[in-house]
Amino acid sequence: MWPAFTDHLSVNIGPITAIDGPIQLEIAVRQVTERVSDSLRYATNTSRAVDSRPFIPREVRDLIREKNGLRRQWQRTLNSVLKAKYNQMASRIQVALDEFRNQRWDDFIIQASESSSAFWSAVKVMKEQSEEDEDPLRPTSPEEMKAIIKAFRYNTAPRPDDITYRTLKHARSKFVMHLTNICNAMLRLQYFPSQWKQANVAMIPKPGQPPN
């Protein structure tokens, strides 16, 4: 389950954007939360289906289904036109898969190489925002966020969005960069997102006392 979650989130989490006010902060929190939840649902469904195949974009999966349909038709009819369409579709799928793998490799390089333009663009956004901050609180960093997430305990209840600390521990560098950007904006704007103020509360009465 977790490899599928990590791969899906790395591909779909999106770019880091500047946060200049509370509204943008609320939007950034909602978008990151939705992306994590989407990847968690995808990984859960994949796990339930006992499907160990690597993540493939939906558009490519649709092409594969179309190709399989053409193959079945050709096998029934031995029509040369259907065979030609099948071969064309197979070539188209191979090109799409190659492009997808190349994009994933580029994403990996961006994460791994501090000399990449995307890395420095993300750092520049956070640096510019921290330099404008007049609050004495020190901005956080991706390394500090990773250490905090690593220190989380597994046996804690999830938030209302069902995102647990175990989920956060399996997110990778892109997510940590997003979280760092959000936390620094919170410090700079002195604003706490409303979505993160929600919690599941379970009342536990004392033994022998009425529940009310």
Side-chain angles (χ1 to χ4, degrees), residues 204-212:
I204 303 177
K206 292 182 178 180
Q209 297 292 326
N212 57 352

Side-chain angles (χ1 to χ4, degrees), residues 93-106:
I93 290 171
Q94 188 59 55
V95 171
L97 285 173
D98 289 342
E99 291 176 351
F100 172 67
R101 294 186 183 114
N102 289 338
Q103 183 60 52
R104 290 192 66 183
W105 176 251
D106 291 342

Side-chain angles (χ1 to χ4, degrees), residues 108-133:
F108 172 77
I109 295 299
I110 288 172
Q111 293 178 22
S113 174
E114 292 190 355
S115 63
S116 69
S117 59
F119 178 91
W120 284 113
S121 295
V123 171
K124 182 180 179 182
V125 168
M126 292 184 286
K127 184 173 184 295
E128 289 176 349
Q129 292 180 347
S130 64
E131 287 176 348
E132 296 171 359
D133 190 3

Side-chain angles (χ1 to χ4, degrees), residues 61-184:
R61 294 201 303 270
D62 291 340
L63 292 176
I64 292 173
R65 280 193 289 269
E66 187 176 347
K67 182 200 72 171
N68 292 339
L70 288 170
R71 181 180 61 187
R72 288 190 293 269
Q73 293 179 48
W74 171 73
Q75 288 174 340
R76 287 196 305 267
T77 64
L78 297 181
N79 186 301
S80 60
V81 175
L82 290 175
K83 180 60 184 284
K85 289 183 178 180
Y86 169 80
N87 290 335
Q88 291 173 359
M89 183 61 68
S91 299
R92 182 179 173 187
I93 290 171
Q94 188 59 55
V95 171
L97 285 173
D98 289 342
E99 291 176 351
F100 172 67
R101 294 186 183 114
N102 289 338
Q103 183 60 52
R104 290 192 66 183
W105 176 251
D106 291 342
D107 291 341
F108 172 77
I109 295 299
I110 288 172
Q111 293 178 22
S113 174
E114 292 190 355
S115 63
S116 69
S117 59
F119 178 91
W120 284 113
S121 295
V123 171
K124 182 180 179 182
V125 168
M126 292 184 286
K127 184 173 184 295
E128 289 176 349
Q129 292 180 347
S130 64
E131 287 176 348
E132 296 171 359
D133 190 3
E134 298 179 357
D135 190 275
L137 291 175
R138 176 181 59 84
T140 187
S141 65
E143 290 73 22
E144 185 177 20
M145 295 304 304
K146 287 180 182 178
I148 292 172
I149 293 173
K150 186 177 181 180
F152 285 155
R153 295 180 300 170
Y154 282 135
N155 58 340
T156 54
R159 293 172 19 84
D161 52 27
D162 292 329
I163 297 176
T164 64
Y165 288 151
R166 184 184 294 271
T167 301
L168 300 183
K169 287 191 176 189
H170 284 88
R172 291 227 179 123
S173 299
K174 280 187 178 180
F175 169 78
V176 174
M177 297 288 283
H178 277 273
L179 193 58
T180 303
N181 188 40
I182 289 172
C183 289
N184 282 336

Side-chain angles (χ1 to χ4, degrees), residues 36-57:
V36 173
S37 297
D38 288 345
S39 296
L40 190 59
R41 281 192 294 271
Y42 169 84
T44 302
N45 293 335
T46 301
S47 177
R48 288 175 180 171
V50 196
D51 185 358
S52 59
R53 294 174 298 177
F55 170 72
I56 297 176

